[in-house]
Amino acid sequence: MTDAHPSPTRRRARVRAPELIGKGGWLNTGDQQYTLADLRGRVVILDFWTFCCINCLHVLDELRELEEKHRDTVVVIGVHSPKFVHEAEHRAVVDAVERYGVEHPVLDDPELATWKQYAVRAWPTLVVIDPEGYVVAQHAGEGHVHAIERLVTELEAEHEAKGTLRRGDGPYVAPEPEPTALRFPGKAVLLPSGTFLVSDTTRHQLVELASDGESVVRRIGSGTRGLADGTADTAAFSEPQGLALLDDTSVVVADTVNHALRRVDLASGAVTTLAGTGRQWWQGSPTSGPARGTDLSSPWDVALFGGKVWIAMAGVHQLWTYDPAAGTVAVAAGTTNEGLVDGPAAEAWFAQPSGLAATRDRLWLADSETSALRWVDPDGRVHTAVGTGLFDFGHRDGAAGQALFQHPLGVTALPDGSVAVSDTYNHALRRYDPATGEVTTLATDLREPSDAVLVGDDIVVVESARHRLTRLRLPEEAVRVAAVAHRTRRAATEVAPGRLELDVIFEAPTGQKLDTRYGPSTRLLVSSTPPGLLLAGAGADTDLSRTLELDPEVGEGVLHVSAMAASCDDDPANEYPACHVHQQDWGVPVLLTENGADRLPLVLAGLDA
């Protein structure tokens, strides 16, 4: 259906927006339930997200400025669409909304009903609905808010003129704050004094706790989201996570949403910036250079290994290093492709590395989106101890080859050479022993454990969703639990065996065009699990459409599609046009059936006509 009142710049396609349905109900609305009819007259932006997904968290941050600027015309609604089983728990969604400072209504859709109605295929996806209730744009991935802002401005003018724009307060109702000492703490480190320093993530502070793990000694940071160096009272963080001792006098902090590393002087509490610019790293940005002049992307944890600070760079699925002596940063491992691939550092694939622990000869890491425990050897090769890929997870002990975690965020080296894994979405502390290759469970009934610190014969767990540190005696024997295995909750897309036309849809934002100044501005990378699913069509090329050949003998699998497009302002008079990179990775589960589709459209930006 086309718009009878097209914009002055181009005719806009429109389709009627499906209703918003979610069994979990609405959050951040003061218990009010909403339909699309209730929001008529406003520009509605649906943000399909899931709280495990780092790209989704990036989009939450991108949307903040747009929400504030267009507060009386735009309503952002987060549609929470779970990947992991734990994310389908309503209480977990409530926690995540507070944890990440979501200041708009959220529809909890545990059964992916609205996700299916809107034919969403990737986290995150943004859908724009005009004031008359029609979908006018869809964007997969992050980095699209600049384009959505232009569209919103167009829609405001267009519907103001038509008399169909309704201004006023939105439906957001802030929840009551809870008076706990910590609020969704992320990581902890044992200080030389015997006290604990904890990242109080949701309150944008660091908190020093006494050796009892409960009494507050001091707070570092103003508690207001920001990026500012200064004294313990005036410095500002934004959702800090990982902590590591630089030496006996200072701690390095992964200041996650500021895309920075910070240093805390333990004597004075003064905070300075070691690395990062405050801007998020994008494809094409430098991958090494002076630490204060190089962009980073959501550093989630830090650890000293081989004389350098290693950084779990969750935002780009890589490991980086910071060299304190040289004052430089550089990529150490990973290609930015999301997945589980071992081998030489430059060829390895990670998926949101979120926890690090160093021993003399290994750097252990919790690779959260592949639910994996992995390690890097002194030669830089990457190995997997436990985990199989992006789509398999659960709680299963036993031999490492068949054991399962569910989105672990932390790893802790133990004295006997084994490691404890904070198995976050299983609410458990697990143990992997390299000597035997066995995985066991040390403790259950924790609530989203995200890190743990060894203190003598005890292990102190950061129990993030219970807002506390919990001290456990390291058990002599493992806890026995019933084995559970899961696959991703998304239904497979039925496609026909043989030829499949893959179309990635990309429309440059209003006022922009594809950037061809330095060659092709688009790139498409395709692979599959298992690899034999693709008889033809795998690999990289510049065309966003491709004919794939699927093996009829392989009944099901996952198509991995990575697309990139670069666009710039279309103004010949502008010598330095603003340019943007649009990028998204899809993992599409497919089932080969005779009556299945022979075309697979994936929307990067625009609408599939």
Side-chain angles (χ1 to χ4, degrees), residues 7-194:
S7 83
T9 52
R10 60 173 158 181
R11 197 171 182 82
R12 185 181 300 118
R14 306 197 308 172
V15 294
R16 175 64 74 180
E19 192 50 83
L20 304 177
I21 308 163
K23 193 173 181 180
W26 290 81
L27 306 175
N28 280 357
T29 63
D31 296 326
Q32 180 76 31
Q33 306 298 300
Y34 282 91
T35 66
L36 279 176
D38 299 325
L39 304 170
R40 198 63 48 81
R42 312 297 287 272
V43 179
V44 177
I45 300 173
L46 302 182
D47 175 18
F48 288 87
W49 70 299
T50 188
F51 63 79
C52 71
C53 157
I54 190 67
N55 311 89
C56 300
L57 304 186
H58 290 167
V59 167
L60 287 176
D61 292 309
E62 290 177 6
L63 286 169
R64 294 184 204 279
E65 186 176 343
L66 182 148
E67 290 181 86
E68 183 59 37
K69 186 175 177 181
H70 300 270
R71 185 167 292 281
D72 67 335
T73 57
V74 170
V75 176
V76 176
I77 294 173
V79 182
H80 189 269
S81 314
K83 171 186 174 181
F84 290 99
V85 168
H86 169 60
E87 292 173 309
E89 296 176 18
H90 183 69
R91 178 69 244 175
V93 180
V94 173
D95 285 348
V97 167
E98 182 188 350
R99 180 195 299 270
Y100 297 116
V102 180
E103 294 184 356
H104 52 245
V106 172
L107 176 64
D108 180 13
D109 182 19
E111 296 176 345
L112 301 178
T114 297
W115 164 286
K116 293 169 188 170
Q117 286 291 313
Y118 281 82
V120 175
R121 296 185 186 277
W123 297 277
T125 291
L126 294 169
V127 175
V128 182
I129 301 172
D130 73 12
E132 293 179 294
Y134 288 89
V135 173
V136 292
Q138 182 169 327
H139 300 264
E142 52 184 297
H144 297 290
V145 171
H146 72 283
I148 292 173
E149 166 107 45
R150 292 189 184 202
L151 177 56
V152 164
T153 302
E154 281 183 21
L155 291 170
E156 286 173 340
E158 185 179 320
H159 289 273
E160 189 94 79
K162 290 173 67 175
T164 49
L165 185 71
R166 180 167 57 90
R167 295 180 181 270
D169 293 334
Y172 170 67
V173 177
E176 286 294 319
E178 297 285 345
T180 53
L182 301 173
R183 204 69 194 161
F184 297 104
K187 305 284 185 181
V189 64
L190 183 66
L191 299 180
S193 62

Side-chain angles (χ1 to χ4, degrees), residues 496-500 535 548-552 592:
R499 289 169 60 93
L500 177 68
L535 293 174
L548 310 181
E549 185 79 22
L550 305 183
D551 188 346
L592 275 58

Side-chain angles (χ1 to χ4, degrees), residues 83-84 338-341 349-351 367-374 384 386-394 401 403-408 486-488 529 558 560:
K83 171 186 174 181
F84 290 99
E338 184 179 13
L340 194 154
V341 176
W349 291 22
F350 301 98
D367 205 28
S368 62
E369 279 294 288
T370 52
S371 298
L373 173 66
R374 306 176 73 185
T384 297
V386 181
T388 59
L390 286 163
F391 301 97
D392 294 291
F393 55 92
L404 294 170
F405 299 125
Q406 187 181 177
H407 197 80
H486 300 288
R487 297 214 84 214
T488 182
T529 303
V558 178
H560 304 282

Side-chain angles (χ1 to χ4, degrees), residues 318-576:
Q318 290 180 313
L319 301 179
W320 286 45
T321 56
Y322 163 68
D323 186 333
T328 56
V329 291
V331 173
T335 64
T336 75
N337 291 109
E338 184 179 13
L340 194 154
V341 176
D342 289 339
E347 300 171 15
W349 291 22
F350 301 98
Q352 274 177 235
S354 301
L356 299 174
T359 62
R360 185 179 56 81
D361 58 353
R362 290 188 183 189
L363 179 72
W364 293 98
L365 67 118
D367 205 28
S368 62
E369 279 294 288
T370 52
S371 298
L373 173 66
R374 306 176 73 185
W375 53 282
V376 183
D377 66 28
D379 296 326
R381 289 188 68 85
V382 178
H383 311 260
T384 297
V386 181
T388 59
L390 286 163
F391 301 97
D392 294 291
F393 55 92
H395 191 153
R396 188 162 65 197
D397 288 336
Q402 56 89 51
L404 294 170
F405 299 125
Q406 187 181 177
H407 197 80
L409 290 178
V411 59
T412 307
L414 300 179
D416 62 357
S418 66
V419 289
V421 176
S422 295
D423 193 5
T424 309
Y425 289 2
N426 279 329
H427 309 301
L429 190 69
R430 313 283 293 283
R431 174 178 178 263
Y432 168 69
D433 186 352
T436 63
E438 291 284 315
V439 174
T440 51
T441 298
L442 297 175
T444 57
D445 194 32
L446 300 166
R447 187 70 188 168
E448 292 194 18
S450 54
D451 196 19
V453 179
L454 200 64
V455 185
D457 292 330
D458 294 340
I459 192 163
V460 175
V461 179
V462 179
E463 208 175 349
S464 188
R466 283 201 178 110
H467 320 293
R468 70 187 188 193
L469 302 189
T470 299
R471 187 181 292 260
L472 303 172
R473 177 68 57 165
L474 275 174
E476 305 255 338
E477 292 184 6
V479 177
R480 295 198 176 277
V481 294
V484 179
H486 300 288
R487 297 214 84 214
T488 182
R489 300 176 62 83
R490 281 176 294 168
T493 298
E494 293 191 6
V495 296
R499 289 169 60 93
L500 177 68
E501 298 299 327
L502 172 65
D503 287 327
V504 174
I505 290 95
F506 177 75
E507 298 172 12
T510 302
Q512 294 200 330
K513 64 178 181 179
L514 286 173
D515 178 18
T516 56
R517 292 172 300 165
Y518 308 108
S521 61
T522 56
R523 181 174 181 270
L524 181 64
L525 175 67
V526 181
S527 62
S528 67
T529 303
L533 174 64
L534 276 176
L535 293 174
D541 203 346
T542 57
D543 195 340
L544 290 181
S545 295
R546 189 180 303 179
T547 300
L548 310 181
E549 185 79 22
L550 305 183
D551 188 346
E553 299 300 314
V554 180
E556 60 181 323
V558 178
L559 291 175
H560 304 282
V561 180
S562 179
M564 185 275 288
S567 63
C568 291
D569 288 344
D570 186 10
D571 181 2
N574 186 355
E575 189 177 354
Y576 302 105

